[in-house]
Amino acid sequence: MSRTRTERLVNLVICLLSTRRFLTAAQIALTVPGYEHDPEDPRDHEAFQRKFERDKAELRELGVPLETGTASVFDTEPGYRIAHREYALPDIPLEPDEAAAVGIAARLWQHAGLAAAASSGLAKLRAAGIEVDPQATLGVEPVVRVDPAFGPLTAAARERRAVTFTYRVPEVDDPATRRLEPWGVVCWQGRWYVVGHDRDRGATRCFRLSRIVGSVRPVGRAGAFTPPAGVDLISHVARWSEPVPSAGRASVTVRPGRAAGLRRRAVDSAPGPDGDLLTLPYSDHERLAATLVGYGPDVRVEGPPELRDAVVQQLKEVVARHEPLAAAVRR
């Protein structure tokens, strides 16, 4: 299902839930974005009717209790509404710590660039009478970072649309162009990967999102492929990604009382004038740099130089991605 159609269906559900009376197709067309048309144009009106019939069938297949009826005995055209009694959520009892955990999860999704999904989920819980505290932490610091390719790849996997992108491998100087049918995006050992069918190699492949250079471009139509039934994306990534021993040691100063996640990973800690000096083992300085950047000003890298350079570079990339928005705000 395309994003445009999904949004139209959501708007249709909201419209039909917002009224107790039956709404005719003409009234719905005037209310729901995506149904705009000229009712005086026979072809345009016929296209609207086909679209509306498909959407009604889709809602019923999804289990939405769509009712048909009339507002009064004088109405000649049928109307539609959603039965509140059948569509209402059951009671969802949550203990205070469970509700706080939901708040943490929402904050994590917001850090991952999925704020809309997080807000939608919280809104549904509140509609069911569940009070959720999105600021709750329970001593957990949500530090989640995703790469720019995350959004386009998850959208392509959802729409079953092939993509092409430029991929950089550390052992090879020049990046190569890849064509992929993405099945999904998963996180494995702190890194994000996309798994799918590599069209050029004719086999299943995994690609690390942080090694994708530039933008991810969709290719062809939506619904162009079908992922294998029951595919286990994590297993594919685990087989492809071999464990790397922790050979490096990083020195990091953290502010007092902050960065609990780093403190748990530290093999040594010593008090200093600006905070606590932690010694962190690592195998991939880019991966550790991505983690440290997520803690913001609470962390300062003392060494080694390659780690400091990686942190500086990632911070520059963050500034570059957000500079157009900041410039627009300043104007």
Side-chain angles (χ1 to χ4, degrees):
M1 188 186 301
S2 68
R3 180 176 180 178
T4 301
R5 187 180 180 193
T6 300
E7 292 175 348
R8 188 174 69 242
L9 287 175
V10 170
N11 288 326
L12 177 57
V13 170
I14 293 173
C15 172
L16 297 180
L17 278 173
S18 301
T19 179
R20 297 288 182 179
R21 61 190 293 263
F22 290 99
L23 297 179
T24 65
Q27 291 170 324
I28 292 172
L30 293 173
T31 306
V32 177
Y35 287 138
E36 299 87 350
H37 72 287
D38 182 2
E40 302 299 327
D41 184 336
R43 296 186 62 181
D44 199 20
H45 185 62
E46 183 181 353
F48 156 71
Q49 290 179 316
R50 289 197 301 267
K51 183 190 299 183
F52 185 50
E53 290 299 321
R54 288 195 302 268
D55 289 350
K56 287 193 299 179
E58 181 73 23
L59 290 182
R60 289 184 171 121
E61 289 179 6
L62 293 172
V64 177
L66 189 62
E67 292 184 331
T68 303
T70 56
S72 73
V73 295
F74 301 103
D75 291 337
T76 58
E77 184 180 353
Y80 307 90
R81 70 182 182 188
I82 292 176
H84 284 253
R85 62 186 180 280
E86 298 180 19
Y87 195 64
L89 287 171
D91 291 338
I92 307 175
L94 291 179
E95 298 297 328
D97 57 339
E98 295 174 326
V102 172
I104 292 172
R107 291 182 63 193
L108 290 173
W109 281 114
Q110 288 169 342
H111 277 262
L114 296 177
S119 299
S120 175
L122 290 177
K124 291 177 181 177
L125 287 173
R126 291 192 180 101
I130 304 298
E131 286 298 325
V132 176
D133 180 9
Q135 302 302 320
T137 61
L138 293 180
V140 178
E141 297 178 52
V143 180
V144 175
R145 175 183 180 274
V146 293
D147 302 275
F150 180 89
L153 286 174
T154 53
R158 184 173 58 251
E159 297 174 2
R160 299 184 179 181
R161 188 192 300 268
V163 296
T164 181
F165 52 82
T166 304
Y167 193 70
R168 171 177 53 83
V169 178
E171 297 80 13
V172 180
D173 292 334
D174 297 325
T177 299
R178 300 297 183 94
R179 297 188 305 152
L180 184 73
E181 297 174 358
W183 300 339
V185 178
V186 295
C187 185
W188 171 253
Q189 295 184 345
R191 301 185 180 102
W192 289 97
Y193 297 86
V194 59
V195 183
H197 176 74
D198 190 318
R199 287 184 169 180
D200 296 313
R201 289 155 182 78
T204 302
R205 289 290 186 270
C206 304
F207 298 96
R208 193 164 129 190
L209 268 58
S210 62
R211 293 177 179 168
I212 293 178
V213 180
S215 60
V216 175
R217 299 173 297 280
V219 177
R221 61 179 179 84
F225 62 88
T226 301
V231 62
D232 187 345
L233 303 181
I234 289 290
S235 295
H236 280 290
V237 176
R239 288 194 298 268
W240 177 80
S241 178
E242 295 296 331
V244 180
S246 298
R249 289 291 185 272
S251 298
V252 177
T253 297
V254 300
R255 289 181 176 177
R258 309 307 295 269
L262 292 182
R263 295 176 185 276
R264 288 192 294 269
R265 294 174 51 177
V267 296
D268 189 31
S269 176
D274 300 323
D276 297 323
L277 182 64
L278 308 182
T279 301
L280 303 173
Y282 71 94
S283 57
D284 185 331
H285 68 277
E286 289 186 355
R287 177 183 174 188
L288 179 57
T291 300
L292 297 177
V293 166
Y295 285 96
D298 292 334
V299 171
R300 185 179 72 242
V301 179
E302 309 296 344
E306 65 175 10
L307 179 61
R308 288 178 60 90
D309 293 343
V311 169
V312 171
Q313 180 59 36
Q314 293 193 26
L315 289 173
K316 288 180 178 179
E317 292 175 359
V318 171
V319 172
R321 287 199 297 270
H322 294 279
E323 182 59 30
L325 177 60
V329 172
R330 287 194 294 269
R331 288 198 296 268

